[in-house]
Amino acid sequence: MKHFLRLTDLSKDELYEIIDLAIDVKKKPISNRMGGKTLGLLFEKPSTRTRVSFEAGFYQMGGNCVVITPQTSQISRGETIEDTAKVLSRYLDMTAIRTFNHERIEQFAGNASIPVINALTDLTHPCQLLADMMTIVEKKGKRFDSMKIAYFGDGNNMANTWIEAASIFGFHLSVATPQDFAPNAAILHQAMAYSGNKNNIEITDNPREAAKDADLLYTDVWNSMNQKESNEKIINLKNYQVSQELAKLAKPDFLFMHCLPAHIGQEVSESIYKGKHSVIYQEAENRLHTQKALMLKLIELNLQED
Ligand code: CP
Ligand code: NVA
């Protein structure tokens, strides 16, 4: 069974095919491909974009969705993830899961006989990256090899996923984060190996260095859903805000992106967030198109495996 738990579960060519298909689907929506199919949405954390875009997207393609939360299922009463996966596989055709520990989704996928999609874990958020890559292609074309992407702030699930993306697509990624909030060491190690140690991924504690000549400035919240609000963290990260001052160092036609939701005034200044370089709503819209393309691609890949 082909799942999408990490960006590296698909090849570079397959990821490009998804982006191309998403661009087609955006122009000419598909209305009937999921007729008679049911998508499960097992969400153990809040979500606006991911859950609604999966649900709307699957309905738009003719299918039905079931939203499952711990409170409305036996998960809150301790039913094992193994049994949950085995039972849900008998009702559903595909499932997207948002959870805490990444091992939990791996365990679910290991026991499922339907494709499983990572709708965010504490470790990675690959669906977001699909929409981010599509937005870059729409705005700048596919010239990834010569592109510099700079990520600022917490070394969280988004930073980890950007590292995976850089290892696949080969662009120059500079992650600016204080040493105490560095991205996941295992992901970094795997990414270096995956990219053939091309030295295209750089971790720095100097945000100005990261911003210099960047094509894209990217940031995310300083306290993620798995973390308690921490003032200490905010103080430590204050020099990593994407601000006009930092943006002056980037290329004149730089893009600003953020997975959202945002804390304006923390990780990004209001003028950058609302300014002319910001493509945040196009990026959010592209969640819908890329996830449709991803689901179509997963069905195709799993039919080939049968
Ligand atoms: N970017 C993103 O995944 O947003 P939600 O948490 O609203 O799904
Ligand atoms: N890092 C954020 C991403 C939200 C889409 C979180 O995990 O809360």
Side-chain angles (χ1 to χ4, degrees):
M1 186 54 57
K2 193 85 176 161
H3 303 293
F4 186 61
L5 306 188
R6 301 262 294 261
L7 216 50
T8 46
D9 286 342
L10 297 178
S11 67
K12 181 176 173 175
D13 285 348
E14 286 164 346
L15 293 169
Y16 271 128
E17 281 162 24
I18 289 171
I19 293 166
D20 289 342
L21 180 58
I23 290 171
D24 287 349
V25 166
K26 185 172 182 174
K27 286 188 200 127
K28 201 168 169 247
I30 291 171
S31 60
N32 53 3
R33 290 283 289 282
M34 298 301 179
K37 294 197 191 301
T38 307
L39 171 71
L41 295 163
L42 173 50
F43 274 57
E44 299 189 318
K45 289 181 183 180
S47 170
T48 298
R49 278 144 289 272
T50 310
R51 192 182 66 73
V52 178
S53 57
F54 264 114
E55 201 169 336
F58 209 71
Y59 283 135
Q60 286 167 16
M61 292 194 292
N64 290 298
C65 301
V66 181
V67 176
I68 307 144
T69 64
Q71 293 71 30
T72 56
S73 67
Q74 297 288 7
I75 294 171
S76 57
R77 296 183 61 246
E79 183 160 21
T80 63
I81 204 74
E82 181 181 339
D83 273 2
T84 306
K86 286 184 173 158
V87 171
L88 290 182
S89 294
R90 291 177 180 246
Y91 309 139
L92 303 170
D93 296 284
M94 196 181 288
T95 185
I97 300 180
R98 171 168 286 198
T99 189
F100 292 84
N101 202 323
H102 192 80
E103 280 81 51
R104 205 164 154 77
I105 197 168
E106 283 177 342
Q107 204 190 352
F108 189 104
N111 286 286
S113 52
I114 53 173
V116 178
I117 296 170
N118 178 355
L120 180 148
T121 65
D122 291 352
L123 191 68
T124 61
H125 195 7
C127 288
Q128 180 65 51
L129 243 292
L130 290 179
D132 297 345
M133 297 306 292
M134 175 181 173
T135 312
I136 296 171
V137 171
E138 285 181 327
K139 300 300 284 185
K140 303 267 182 201
K142 279 188 191 162
R143 52 176 195 86
F144 289 133
D145 288 358
S146 59
M147 214 173 258
K148 178 178 178 186
I149 294 178
Y151 176 96
F152 300 89
D154 190 22
N156 61 16
N157 43 10
M158 281 314 311
N160 294 337
T161 318
W162 272 105
I163 289 171
E164 291 197 325
S167 76
I168 298 169
F169 290 99
F171 51 77
H172 178 182
L173 176 69
S174 189
V175 177
T177 178
Q179 281 169 9
D180 286 351
F181 304 112
N184 183 279
I187 293 235
L188 189 57
H189 187 76
Q190 286 158 15
M192 301 278 194
Y194 194 96
S195 67
N197 294 311
K198 263 178 63 182
N199 291 328
N200 61 321
I201 303 168
E202 163 195 37
I203 312 291
T204 174
D205 59 8
N206 184 340
R208 294 177 66 80
E209 204 176 280
K212 195 167 180 321
D213 298 325
D215 297 277
L216 169 65
L217 306 180
Y218 197 103
T219 190
D220 184 19
V221 288
W222 289 344
N223 287 304
S224 283
M225 286 181 277
N226 57 325
Q227 297 160 344
K228 286 204 180 84
E229 289 289 317
S230 152
N231 280 336
E232 192 197 330
K233 199 167 180 188
I234 290 167
I235 291 163
N236 279 304
L237 281 163
K238 72 177 190 324
N239 293 333
Y240 294 81
Q241 183 190 78
V242 180
S243 60
Q244 291 292 359
E245 199 200 337
L246 203 60
K248 276 190 200 136
L249 301 166
K251 295 231 178 91
D253 61 347
F254 78 91
L255 299 177
F256 170 72
M257 287 171 60
H258 189 308
C259 58
L260 308 184
H263 285 144
I264 300 168
Q266 284 192 9
E267 72 272 9
V268 57
S269 71
E270 187 173 6
S271 63
I272 291 286
Y273 190 79
K274 296 187 174 162
K276 65 176 186 193
H277 297 271
S278 175
V279 291
I280 50 174
Y281 301 118
Q282 181 173 340
E283 179 189 2
E285 178 188 333
N286 286 341
R287 298 296 306 277
L288 177 74
H289 310 299
T290 44
Q291 286 159 199
K292 281 182 178 174
L294 169 68
M295 293 188 283
L296 291 165
K297 186 74 190 167
L298 276 182
I299 289 175
E300 179 196 312
L301 291 172
N302 282 306
L303 282 176
Q304 283 167 8
E305 282 198 355
D306 277 351

